[in-house]
Amino acid sequence: MQEVFGVFGRSFVRVGRACARLMTPPRSWGRWGVVWWGLVGGLVIGQWLTLAWGLALTFPRHTMDFAQHYYLGAWRNLGGAFTDPAWALRWVAVWPNRLETMMPYLPYQPLLLPWMQGLARLPYAWALLVWWAGALGLWWWAARDVARVGGWAVGCVRLALFLAPPLAYTLYLGNVDAYLAALTVLATVGLLHAHPVLSGYVWGWVVAFKPFLVFGAWPAWRRRPWAFGVGGLLGAGSALGVAWAAVGREGLAFLVRHLPAYQQALQQHLAFFNGSLLGWWTAWLAVARQAGWPLTPGAGLARGLVLVTGMVLLGFTLRARPRGLDEPLGLWLETGLGLSLALLLAPIAWPQYRVYVLAPALILTGWLAGRSSRLAHAWYGFLPFYLVGFLWPLEGWLPALYLGSVHVGLWGFFWAALRSGAS
């Protein structure tokens, strides 16, 4: 028995050391490296305790993002019309943040509806567990190929991914982004395995859900334009076919007709969690003019700044190329650059959208682990800010200012990594 425990103990120590090497700050930090580990560990543990506390008190009612899909599926199972905007009020008397004014017009509802009609035949808690299991299964599968990029132990990569607050809170809220982010990882893996049509097909579905994520597909399209483009058209076309079969032409016309009202409701009720360039610049104007949300003046100036900044970032992104990097690492870093640009150019970017750059950020962290370059010093100093996933208690424009700064920082680090290359 003692020998068995000894073997398992040594194995556990080896795995622990391998995981530590995956996220080792610069060696020159000395004792500050211990402080960094304490800060990161405290952030992760503290947010997981908050998450567990929320689950214990409110499960499964905390998943309002999942609820809007589930209850629409239940409504359709009862024969209700998709074009009836009052369906949300028939299930829950009071939705947080006036979600009932936005839920009936959510553009990608038809893409989820067939699946949600099936899940809606289960009790809510069981349907949520199935939803979580599917998302975790995709990430579990994707972690294997992420680990191959740097030769890391797959168990360490899975542990790092599952502990990361951006993924944890995406699952906690029941967002579809947990699935879409995993699909972007699998699409990148597909391209590395010489399956550009399949990669494009997956990206076509992802972009059908969230069109702004098209910038994340740019690196793959640049490498295999024709095959990837064919796959993308097939994916987008099949997504449109599913949406048409789910709600018909009348349902799609209903969503297109109400799209302006949906965007206006988002900006009116939830804009202070917008980490895109629009939210970021508006937050800076609010700080400069000492104005509060939602009475911040200068909307026209903010949009002008977004246009100029967005064009500059887009130009730098399209010209970025990996320098002296092998193909797996170069593609991952370039994809991270495209996805971080997508978060900045999105109409609205929620805190949980950081899950889209989770895999590229982990790869960048492992690539810089233990180095003493200026990029490594800056990245490891920035990483704790990325790991703060819980922003809901913040008020005013502080969440948008913080989140937008994180997204700008992510773009800058991926661009700098591509520029520095093997040096």
Side-chain angles (χ1 to χ4, degrees):
M1 183 65 68
Q2 185 177 0
E3 293 179 357
V4 172
F5 279 106
V7 171
F8 277 104
R10 289 191 295 271
S11 177
F12 181 78
V13 170
R14 284 196 298 269
V15 172
R17 288 176 178 173
C19 294
R21 286 194 297 270
L22 179 60
M23 297 184 66
T24 302
R27 296 186 181 92
S28 59
W29 281 16
R31 294 181 179 179
W32 287 107
V34 178
V35 175
W36 184 88
W37 274 111
L39 176 61
V40 170
L43 282 173
V44 172
I45 294 173
Q47 291 180 95
W48 266 98
L49 289 176
T50 303
L51 183 148
W53 178 70
L55 286 174
L57 292 180
T58 62
F59 180 86
R61 301 185 306 277
H62 61 282
T63 51
M64 288 296 100
D65 290 323
F66 174 77
Q68 57 187 322
H69 311 311
Y70 175 89
Y71 285 119
L72 176 59
W75 171 250
R76 290 288 287 166
N77 287 342
L78 294 175
F82 178 80
T83 54
D84 181 3
W87 66 262
L89 298 177
R90 302 175 185 271
W91 295 102
V92 179
V94 179
W95 291 86
N97 299 317
R98 298 189 63 183
L99 280 176
E100 73 277 0
T101 64
M102 297 172 273
M103 288 160 43
Y105 315 122
L106 188 62
Y108 59 81
Q109 285 279 31
L111 298 174
L112 280 177
L113 189 54
W115 186 19
M116 298 312 298
Q117 285 187 256
L119 286 181
R121 300 185 186 280
L122 299 173
Y124 187 91
W126 285 103
L128 177 60
L129 292 176
V130 172
W131 175 270
W132 280 348
L136 289 172
L138 280 179
W139 279 100
W140 186 270
W141 184 19
R144 179 183 54 188
D145 287 280
V146 172
R148 291 176 180 172
V149 177
W152 307 308
V154 65
C156 298
V157 173
R158 285 169 176 160
L159 181 63
L161 290 174
F162 293 160
L163 286 180
L167 177 58
Y169 279 103
T170 303
L171 292 169
Y172 178 81
L173 296 171
N175 295 120
V176 70
D177 301 288
Y179 280 88
L180 298 181
L183 289 177
T184 65
V185 176
L186 293 174
T188 305
V189 169
L191 185 68
L192 291 172
H193 289 176
H195 300 297
V197 176
L198 179 60
S199 176
Y201 183 85
V202 176
W203 269 112
W205 268 92
V206 170
V207 173
F209 272 88
K210 303 287 177 79
F212 63 87
L213 293 175
V214 67
F215 297 103
W218 154 251
W221 184 85
R222 185 176 66 79
R223 285 164 170 79
R224 300 292 298 273
W226 293 109
F228 185 85
V230 169
L233 290 176
L234 291 174
S238 61
L240 178 61
V242 169
W244 189 289
V247 301
R249 182 174 63 86
E250 182 181 357
L252 296 180
F254 170 81
L255 291 177
V256 173
R257 188 166 59 250
H258 289 91
L259 184 60
Y262 172 73
Q263 292 179 335
Q264 183 179 3
L266 281 179
Q267 291 295 333
Q268 182 178 359
H269 300 297
L270 295 169
F272 48 88
F273 287 113
N274 184 4
S276 68
L277 282 176
L278 179 59
W280 190 64
W281 276 120
T282 308
W284 276 117
L285 291 176
V287 172
R289 301 179 180 184
Q290 297 183 349
W293 179 87
L295 303 175
T296 303
L301 177 58
R303 294 185 183 277
L305 291 170
V306 169
L307 179 61
V308 174
T309 310
M311 292 299 294
V312 171
L313 295 179
L314 178 61
F316 277 100
T317 300
L318 296 182
R319 292 177 60 86
R321 298 290 187 274
R323 293 188 173 185
L325 301 173
D326 58 6
E327 180 54 9
L329 179 60
L331 176 60
W332 277 109
L333 295 181
E334 199 174 346
T335 301
L337 180 69
L339 287 171
S340 57
L341 176 69
L343 303 186
L344 291 169
L345 298 184
I348 191 164
W350 307 121
Q352 61 269 20
Y353 279 10
R354 281 172 294 178
V355 72
Y356 287 106
V357 294
L358 178 56
L362 180 62
I363 289 171
L364 178 59
T365 302
W367 180 53
L368 295 175
R371 299 192 182 190
S372 295
S373 64
R374 286 181 294 179
L375 179 62
H377 284 287
W379 171 251
Y380 275 85
F382 168 82
L383 193 58
F385 294 95
Y386 168 74
L387 292 176
V388 178
F390 192 61
L391 298 176
W392 303 105
L394 301 180
E395 296 180 354
W397 280 107
L398 187 57
L401 186 62
Y402 181 93
L403 189 60
S405 299
V406 170
H407 291 165
V408 171
L410 286 168
W411 183 91
F413 279 110
F414 283 117
W415 185 84
L418 290 169
R419 292 285 297 178
S420 65
S423 62

